[in-house]
Amino acid sequence: MDVAIVGIGIHPFGRTAGLSGLQQGAYAARLALKDAGVEWKDMQFGFGGSASAGSADALVNELGLTGLPFINVANGCATGGSALISAFNAIKSGEYDIGMVTGFDKHERGAFNADPKQMGIGEWYGEVGLMMTTQFFAMKIQRYMDAYGISSNTLAKVAQKAFSNGAKNPNAWRREEIPLDVISDSPMISHPLTKFMFCAPGEGGVALILCRADIARRYTDKPIYLKSAAVRSRRYGSFEVFAPSQALKQVDGPTVDASRAAFEAAGVGPQDIDVLQLQDTESGAEVMHMAENGFCEHGEQEALIQAGETGIEGKLPTNTDGGCLANGEPIGATGLRQVYETCVQLRGEAGERQVPNTPKVGYTHVYGAPGISAVTILQR
Amino acid sequence: MKPSSMPMTVRFITREAVMYKNTPIAEGLFTWPSKEPALLGSRCQQCNIAEFPQKPSCPACGSMDVQVEELPRRGTLWTWTIQGFMPKKPYLSDETPETFTPYGVGYIELPGAVCVESRLLENSPEKLKIGMEMELVVETFRHDESGNPVMSFAFKAVE
């Protein structure tokens, strides 16, 4: 049984005073229902996640107590992707015809402060100042730059492109272009990454209506088919966040594994992808994830990014909605934002930021602590 | 000041000095007290994988047949960064936002054992280079509520 996305809804990302995370989730859910021309009572299941804004299943209090099975999903930054995979499998199994996937969040200002105990690490690790996702990303790109000749200027260009795309996206948080030198010269947060090269925890909500592909045209004349969805956790030897020690010998990380599985299941390759959303919690992540997801060889990013190939008009239009850098990261919603944007692009409804030549196949990728990744491949 | 108060003061300081006790930030992280402290890791007796800190099972194969061992005190810098702002809790140091000093963080490849994450004594990009030789130090990291020094480990460049 193939699966289609027939309704999409989003609450603008950023900071919304006066609206809880849950209310932003409900806002997105109502838009998605309306988009598919269905009602909440038509939903046969719900999968949803939120890290800081309460239980996702509290949505039923907002949308109506219909008795549907609603399952909370919690998988770090891959929460949205994991909820989507759960729904994908629920429909593929033949158990359900139509249901909703949602994710929302509302985080405090400033960097995340994770608790070592929740990751099975001693409290000393946080006390001495090592429990920082920002350090991991900085150390991963530091070594990558040394190994593959990626320049600091390229890191700044990734952020510049993100804000440029964000400026064209009415739902983005950062909607102003930022000049390259301002990005490069902003305070160094964690060498080699400056303030404007990092995304910030934020707020937002996304909802998607999924159904059996064979009934998709009842709800929309532009169904987007979910060709594959894969989630993977880390294997021994991959370099991951929150690791007091790691192997002497490196193996491919969960992104590489999830990507390969998703391509294989969809029966397409990187050359077939017309628009892609890659986890860009900071500039370096986008650079490394281009290669880890198979879109180029390690080191080729330098030339590709300098030539503008990851821009909306380029060969590899990446993070067309501004990515995490311009949208911030509400953990529960971030992965579904990528799927939302891909649907908008494949429907040809992205306006100012529309990728030219009617893209047909899209790709989304998230990465989260403590070493998980989720990938989806979508096709119109 | 009355002359008689002098011995009092001296005795007070002496008593306090005796009362202070250096305590490690966590048990079982490194050998302490020791003239040449070393990090304590566990090594799987089935697949020979080492892990830090010590764990009751192997991260690669899940075997519980592990033995604790002292890790090499010297290694090479695998990667690094500099923490530019004072982290929120659970960070716990003697610093205030006003006195915070950026600190280096890196992974040090300990030959034949494992790559460990650590604070670095160096905190400027000019002084850090992937591949440089580093060695372990155990130093006072902060003081507890009673004023006792709390010891933790770091790596520094080999002179």
Side-chain angles (χ1 to χ4, degrees):
Chain A
M1 184 66 64
D2 286 338
V3 178
I5 298 173
V6 293
I8 59 175
I10 191 167
H11 183 280
F13 280 37
R15 296 258 172 232
T16 309
L19 269 196
S20 68
L22 183 68
Q23 287 167 327
Q24 294 179 44
Y27 178 97
R30 290 188 184 102
L31 284 182
L33 292 166
K34 193 177 164 202
D35 186 47
V38 293
E39 292 183 55
W40 174 241
K41 65 175 169 55
D42 300 323
M43 295 298 99
Q44 297 171 357
F45 66 82
F47 286 95
S50 139
S52 304
S55 288
D57 67 344
L59 263 186
V60 298
N61 295 328
E62 303 279 325
L63 299 172
L65 299 167
T66 61
L68 90 168
F70 193 110
I71 294 171
N72 291 313
V73 179
N75 226 357
C77 303
T79 293
S82 301
L84 188 63
I85 284 162
S86 306
F88 179 63
N89 288 329
I91 292 173
K92 267 178 41 151
S93 74
E95 185 71 20
Y96 300 107
D97 303 320
I98 188 166
M100 180 185 283
V101 175
T102 180
F104 54 85
D105 241 312
K106 190 176 180 98
H107 302 294
E108 286 176 23
R109 279 167 204 281
F112 289 119
N113 54 337
D115 179 2
K117 271 182 297 183
Q118 288 198 358
M119 301 281 176
I121 307 172
E123 289 182 47
W124 64 272
Y125 187 73
E127 290 173 8
V128 302
L130 298 180
M131 195 75 194
M132 302 289 292
T133 52
T134 41
Q135 292 170 359
F136 164 74
F137 291 120
M139 287 193 282
K140 190 175 171 195
I141 190 64
Q142 187 89 266
R143 187 169 169 86
Y144 198 86
M145 290 165 82
D146 189 69
Y148 297 111
I150 305 295
S151 67
S152 295
N153 181 270
T154 288
L155 296 182
K157 284 208 159 160
V158 170
Q160 183 189 33
K161 184 258 301 167
F163 298 124
S164 167
N165 291 354
K168 301 182 179 81
N169 174 8
N171 295 312
W173 184 5
R174 316 275 187 213
R175 303 206 49 219
E176 272 180 36
E177 301 215 10
I178 302 181
L180 199 65
D181 58 334
V182 172
I183 294 166
S184 297
D185 298 342
S186 63
M188 194 64 85
I189 298 289
S190 199
H191 193 280
L193 299 166
T194 67
K195 179 183 163 189
F196 286 120
M197 296 179 191
F198 274 106
C199 82
E203 304 174 16
V206 179
L208 308 170
I209 310 294
L210 275 70
C211 75
R212 282 168 33 193
D214 61 339
I215 59 170
R217 288 197 180 267
R218 284 187 208 166
Y219 306 107
T220 177
D221 55 1
K222 289 180 180 174
I224 304 298
Y225 300 98
L226 188 50
K227 300 302 287 181
S228 66
V231 63
R232 289 290 184 274
S233 66
R234 65 205 179 282
R235 289 183 284 138
Y236 181 73
S238 70
F239 180 36
E240 302 300 340
V241 65
F242 301 147
S245 71
Q246 51 147 335
L248 292 179
K249 210 172 157 195
Q250 300 292 301
V251 303
D252 287 332
T255 290
V256 174
D257 293 346
S259 176
R260 281 187 190 143
F263 276 126
E264 195 180 317
V268 298
Q271 70 285 351
D272 300 311
I273 303 296
D274 301 313
V275 55
L276 48 149
Q277 318 296 326
L278 305 177
Q279 179 91 345
D280 62 329
T281 31
E282 37 74 35
S283 289
E286 181 171 312
V287 172
M288 295 181 287
H289 289 152
M290 286 169 66
E292 289 181 14
N293 285 286
F295 292 102
C296 66
E297 294 297 321
H298 291 295
E300 283 181 358
Q301 301 97 321
E302 179 71 16
L304 286 167
I305 292 166
Q306 288 293 335
E309 296 293 1
T310 56
I312 286 167
E313 312 271 330
K315 280 191 292 195
L316 291 170
T318 305
N319 294 328
T320 45
D321 66 350
C324 292
L325 288 170
N327 287 278
E329 194 176 22
I331 287 180
T334 192
L336 298 180
R337 170 187 53 75
Q338 297 180 331
V339 177
Y340 176 92
E341 169 67 6
T342 305
C343 290
V344 171
Q345 289 284 350
L346 298 183
R347 286 174 172 189
E349 295 170 352
E352 253 194 293
R353 66 180 194 284
Q354 179 65 49
V355 168
N357 306 319
T358 55
K360 188 169 172 28
V361 189
Y363 184 97
T364 75
H365 156 262
V366 289
Y367 169 84
I372 45 177
S373 181
V375 168
T376 69
I377 294 172
L378 301 122
Q379 187 180 319
R380 70 175 157 81
Chain B
M1 186 184 288
K2 284 190 288 184
S4 63
S5 70
M6 286 297 289
M8 284 288 289
T9 312
V10 169
R11 204 172 70 203
F12 183 70
I13 289 170
T14 309
R15 202 178 63 185
E16 280 228 324
V18 170
M19 279 173 64
Y20 283 139
K21 188 170 175 283
N22 292 355
T23 51
I25 193 160
E27 289 299 328
L29 268 192
F30 44 83
T31 52
W32 184 263
S34 166
K35 208 170 240 180
E36 280 223 315
L39 297 178
L40 289 169
S42 46
R43 190 181 290 271
C44 177
Q45 303 304 299
Q46 301 298 319
C47 67
N48 206 35
I49 289 293
E51 168 91 336
F52 171 81
Q54 52 177 293
K55 289 223 180 73
S57 64
C58 170
C61 74
S63 164
M64 295 192 75
D65 183 11
V66 296
Q67 278 183 9
V68 176
E69 68 179 33
E70 291 190 7
L71 300 177
R73 303 185 69 257
R74 276 198 182 198
T76 52
L77 189 61
W78 192 79
T79 187
W80 59 273
T81 185
I82 291 158
Q83 176 64 33
F85 63 92
M86 186 163 157
K88 293 194 268 194
K89 273 185 194 171
Y91 188 58
L92 186 59
S93 70
D94 291 338
E95 298 160 304
T96 64
E98 290 72 36
T99 64
F100 173 76
T101 314
Y103 56 89
V105 175
Y107 278 89
I108 296 90
E109 193 172 337
L110 303 178
V114 69
C115 204
V116 299
E117 189 179 14
S118 173
R119 280 179 73 122
L120 309 175
L121 295 193
E122 287 73 22
N123 70 348
S124 70
E126 300 73 36
K127 290 185 177 157
L128 293 165
K129 194 164 171 36
I130 290 169
M132 70 190 281
E133 213 175 335
M134 310 288 286
E135 66 182 345
L136 180 76
V137 289
V138 170
E139 293 193 333
T140 299
F141 173 65
R142 65 159 189 265
H143 295 82
D144 67 16
E145 312 79 50
S146 318
N148 296 309
V150 176
M151 314 301 288
S152 187
F153 68 95
F155 277 80
K156 67 168 187 175
V158 173
E159 297 291 326

